[in-house]
Amino acid sequence: MIISVTLSKPTGEVEKRLGQPYQKIKIRAVNAAAGASYAVEMFTNTQVFHKKFSESELADFLKANSGITFKNVVTRTDTEEITLLTNKKGKTTELRKKLNTTTGKTTPLKILPEAKKKQYLLPEGTPVPFLVLLGIMNDEGKVISSRYDKFRQINRFLEFIDDVLPEFAGKSEAGEPVRIADFGCGKSYLTFAVHYFLTEVHHIPCEIEGLDLKEEVINYCNDMARKLGLKNLIFHTGNIADYSGVHSPDIVITLHACDTATDYALKYAVERGARAILSVPCCQHQINTQLQSRGKTGGATGEIPPEFESLLKWGIIREKFSSLVTDALRGEWLEAQGYKVQMLEFIDMEHTPKNILIRAVKKENKKTGKTNGLDLMNKLGIKPEIFK
């Protein structure tokens, strides 16, 4: 755990990035037993400013400022002292000293080479119009410290998109647009990201359509598209269960389509022959409700099988179990429809454990109609919407 941090030797970027000509910043842990609260003192030549950081805010602040706004950064944990030294050329050296927990003194540990920065598909330092307009980047292409989670999420999602692009090489070579439907698009951070990534990075023509129940959200997205002057990107108000687009999509995206809305989106994708599906399910209430009913005396489907009692007797465990069962059965169903399915971990910006992404890519002549999920469904007495 980080106990304290001292940032010193400011660069010319301090005032531009932090709003004040700070000469030094001291950060120390407070109320450590409750976990991750930090008091911050920010010194100019004449004033001291105070604020507080959470653990995640501290991590974002250090990432955004170490070696950029301050050349020297000394971080002390409960086991070691870490010093980052940045020279005039921007090269960073890391020094580590092991802390003697008895005396409190430090002893040299090792010198590490400059850490390599993660290479994002949308790199920091290059202004991206939609990210600037959404307040994730400033005009110079610097990611706003408090928006790093969203920046990382967007780039992670684009990695999933990048992996399936070879499936559409023929369309690209023929100059045909890749058609994408985004169901439950919300404010469409990822929709705008996919449009930019295809058209500006890969120069692949595309047509993207977003759908959401909330009219005010759709109006916001269409207004954003107009401000950015984007073509072939449009948003509609509507329900996934009732939707019928003009063109069949090549890629279907669903991010947090609630409960059975995910099933409707997956069915639509399969029925319309989508080549790729990227889905982050959410709120799997249907199976949880069925299992809850099954566990009650007189429930319509009977009692819980003994082998599942430990997983279903506590509400919070049953909820997590229901989510995993629902998504596993969705994967089984997609495989039966001729898709290669992967279950991947996604970075979520909404601080929720719903971080499983289902990626399915259609394989030619592989539809079997068979699924290993039927036995599980019969044992549990459940039937998810995807199988109806």
Side-chain angles (χ1 to χ4, degrees):
M1 175 184 171
I2 293 178
I3 305 300
S4 66
V5 185
T6 301
L7 298 93
S8 59
K9 291 194 176 181
T11 70
E13 294 290 307
V14 170
E15 188 168 3
K16 180 171 67 174
R17 293 176 181 267
L18 298 180
Q20 294 285 348
Y22 296 120
Q23 298 302 303
K24 181 181 289 188
I25 296 177
K26 293 183 177 181
I27 303 169
R28 59 184 176 84
V30 294
N31 193 22
S37 180
Y38 293 89
V40 185
E41 295 179 298
M42 310 175 80
F43 299 85
T44 68
N45 285 328
T46 58
Q47 292 177 288
V48 180
F49 298 84
H50 297 85
K51 64 189 306 182
K52 286 187 177 181
F53 282 157
S54 67
E55 190 172 20
S56 61
E57 288 171 335
L58 173 61
D60 286 344
F61 182 82
L62 293 178
K63 182 171 183 178
N65 291 282
S66 297
I68 299 172
T69 55
F70 290 92
K71 294 179 181 179
N72 288 7
V73 180
V74 179
T75 303
R76 175 168 284 204
T77 71
D78 47 0
T79 59
E80 62 182 329
E81 184 178 276
I82 307 162
T83 302
L84 295 179
L85 303 174
T86 305
N87 64 19
K88 293 180 180 180
K89 295 182 179 180
K91 182 180 179 181
T92 299
T93 301
E94 182 179 281
L95 307 175
R96 287 180 177 262
K97 295 180 181 180
K98 187 175 181 180
L99 181 65
N100 187 317
T101 55
T102 302
T103 65
K105 295 181 180 180
T106 59
T107 54
L109 188 63
K110 57 183 175 180
I111 299 178
L112 299 178
E114 181 180 8
K116 292 183 179 180
K117 291 185 177 179
K118 179 174 175 59
Q119 298 299 310
Y120 290 111
L121 292 176
L122 300 183
E124 186 173 3
T126 302
V128 177
F130 83 92
L131 291 178
V132 174
L133 188 58
L134 290 170
I136 296 173
M137 275 184 174
N138 63 20
D139 291 337
E140 287 76 41
K142 170 66 180 174
V143 177
I144 307 302
S145 178
S146 61
R147 310 304 294 277
Y148 253 103
D149 283 348
K150 196 163 291 186
F151 177 72
R152 285 193 290 266
Q153 189 213 36
I154 287 170
N155 275 282
R156 178 61 174 151
F157 190 77
L158 292 180
E159 290 175 9
F160 296 131
I161 291 289
D162 198 41
D163 287 342
V164 302
L165 286 184
E167 300 291 327
F168 307 100
K171 293 198 88 174
S172 300
E173 292 169 1
E176 298 177 15
V178 175
R179 294 190 171 94
I180 301 172
D182 186 354
F183 293 131
C185 61
K187 289 190 175 180
S188 301
Y189 294 99
L190 300 183
T191 322
F192 285 108
V194 172
H195 186 276
Y196 179 87
F197 185 61
L198 292 180
T199 59
E200 301 299 325
V201 177
H202 282 288
H203 306 292
I204 296 173
C206 66
E207 295 177 0
I208 304 181
E209 190 170 10
L211 185 75
D212 200 277
L213 286 170
K214 299 177 182 178
E215 186 175 357
E216 65 274 16
V217 167
I218 293 302
N219 290 338
Y220 169 85
C221 294
N222 280 319
D223 184 55
M224 285 280 296
R226 283 192 294 270
K227 287 179 179 178
L228 291 165
L230 301 181
K231 297 180 180 180
N232 299 323
L233 177 59
I234 191 167
F235 300 91
H236 298 295
T237 305
N239 190 323
I240 297 172
D242 304 323
Y243 179 74
S244 178
V246 176
H247 299 289
S248 294
D250 298 300
I251 301 174
V252 168
I253 297 169
T254 70
L255 182 67
H256 291 171
C258 190
D259 198 19
T260 55
T262 294
D263 297 304
Y264 293 128
L266 296 180
K267 284 184 176 181
Y268 178 89
V270 170
E271 289 169 359
R272 301 297 288 265
R275 292 293 304 276
I277 302 168
L278 298 172
S279 175
V280 180
C282 185
C283 305
Q284 295 90 333
H285 296 309
Q286 185 190 43
I287 298 304
N288 190 29
T289 301
Q290 291 178 10
L291 289 172
Q292 190 174 15
S293 173
R294 183 173 173 78
K296 294 179 179 178
T297 302
T301 54
E303 295 300 319
I304 293 172
E307 61 267 34
F308 291 103
E309 284 184 0
S310 296
L311 288 167
L312 304 177
K313 67 189 293 186
W314 294 287
I316 189 170
I317 301 297
R318 185 182 63 246
E319 182 182 358
K320 293 178 182 294
F321 177 75
S322 299
S323 297
L324 293 172
V325 168
T326 302
D327 290 340
L329 290 174
R330 285 166 173 162
E332 292 278 2
W333 183 84
L334 285 167
E335 285 186 337
Q337 309 309 310
Y339 286 79
K340 179 183 178 182
V341 177
Q342 295 171 289
M343 298 287 173
L344 305 167
E345 187 174 31
F346 186 44
I347 300 172
D348 200 303
M349 64 188 175
E350 302 297 342
H351 309 292
T352 165
K354 307 294 186 181
N355 65 343
I356 290 178
L357 182 140
I358 303 172
R359 182 168 67 190
V361 177
K362 188 172 180 60
K363 297 303 178 184
E364 298 297 334
N365 302 319
K366 292 291 184 179
K367 186 172 181 178
T368 65
K370 298 179 180 179
T371 172
N372 295 325
L374 294 178
D375 186 47
L376 179 60
M377 290 164 56
N378 290 332
K379 282 186 177 181
L380 290 172
I382 59 174
K383 191 169 186 179
E385 184 65 36
I386 198 76
F387 281 91
K388 293 182 179 180

